[in-house]
Amino acid sequence: MSSRTNVMRILETNKIPFDVFEYDPKNQVDAISVAHFIKEPEEQVFKTLVTQSPTLQHSFEHFVFVIPAASNLDLKKAASVAKVKSLEMLPLKQLLPLTGYIHGGCSPIGMKKNFSTFIDETALLYDTICVSGGKIGITLKINPHQLASFINASFENLTREE
């Protein structure tokens, strides 16, 4: 293994089992490409999306959504489960300062702050799902129930049909 990430250290410290997949992204960091690199079904490889909702104080409240690689986040459903009027995707340039992660390496584990997090309910269909290990080139396979419990996430219907 090339390097242990902060996400791996956090999981080990909390005795949460996981498996590590390393891959060479070759400029492709989207979750579908990752699924192909690590030879796991697209339905079991999840991407982490960060959204924002305007508040009355002219700032934003942030929410994290973990959805299957080939799916698209339904912002109306997401806003409903987050109990806010509307949501928009976080501008890419704000991802690193807000979460500590870069695009393609954003993990639902170990962000700079604890944000309300929701995992697509399809994760419940599997014994394990894959999420980013906190660095491009590292993906972790983890039990969805243990993940949700650890990051205080709920399982919700979050995606839209294309």
Side-chain angles (χ1 to χ4, degrees):
M1 186 178 326
S2 65
S3 62
R4 288 171 13 107
T5 65
N6 192 43
V7 173
M8 293 178 200
R9 285 188 281 279
I10 290 168
L11 292 173
E12 288 167 352
T13 299
N14 289 279
K15 299 186 179 4
I16 297 171
F18 62 92
D19 292 317
V20 178
F21 291 101
E22 289 191 68
Y23 62 92
D24 179 7
K26 295 186 180 75
N27 301 323
Q28 294 291 324
V29 296
D30 64 279
I32 293 173
S33 297
V34 170
H36 295 172
F37 286 135
I38 65 173
K39 297 178 176 38
E40 288 290 316
E42 288 177 11
E43 306 80 47
Q44 283 181 257
V45 176
F46 282 61
K47 56 190 173 186
T48 303
L49 304 175
V50 182
T51 63
Q52 60 186 17
S53 177
T55 67
L56 295 174
Q57 297 81 22
H58 301 291
S59 62
F60 291 96
E61 186 174 5
H62 297 95
F63 301 91
V64 175
F65 297 91
V66 182
I67 66 170
S71 297
N72 290 301
L73 182 64
D74 183 318
L75 289 171
K76 284 190 165 81
K77 288 179 183 177
S80 176
V81 301
K83 297 179 176 46
V84 294
K85 191 181 285 187
S86 66
L87 284 174
E88 59 191 33
M89 295 306 297
L90 182 75
L92 201 52
K93 67 180 187 289
Q94 294 176 23
L95 185 64
L96 179 61
L98 182 71
T99 66
Y101 293 122
I102 62 169
H103 176 69
C106 188
S107 178
I109 303 158
M111 290 190 181
K112 285 183 174 181
K113 296 179 185 168
N114 291 326
F115 300 109
S116 295
T117 302
F118 306 91
I119 302 171
D120 191 72
E121 63 191 5
T122 59
L124 295 170
L125 299 172
Y126 308 105
D127 292 333
T128 57
I129 62 170
C130 296
V131 297
S132 172
K135 176 181 167 187
I136 294 173
I138 305 282
T139 295
L140 305 180
K141 185 186 272 192
I142 188 169
N143 177 282
H145 296 283
Q146 289 180 314
L147 173 64
S149 177
F150 183 66
I151 62 174
N152 198 26
S154 61
F155 294 99
E156 306 288 346
N157 177 359
L158 301 172
T159 58
R160 66 176 185 261
E161 299 300 320
E162 287 307 307

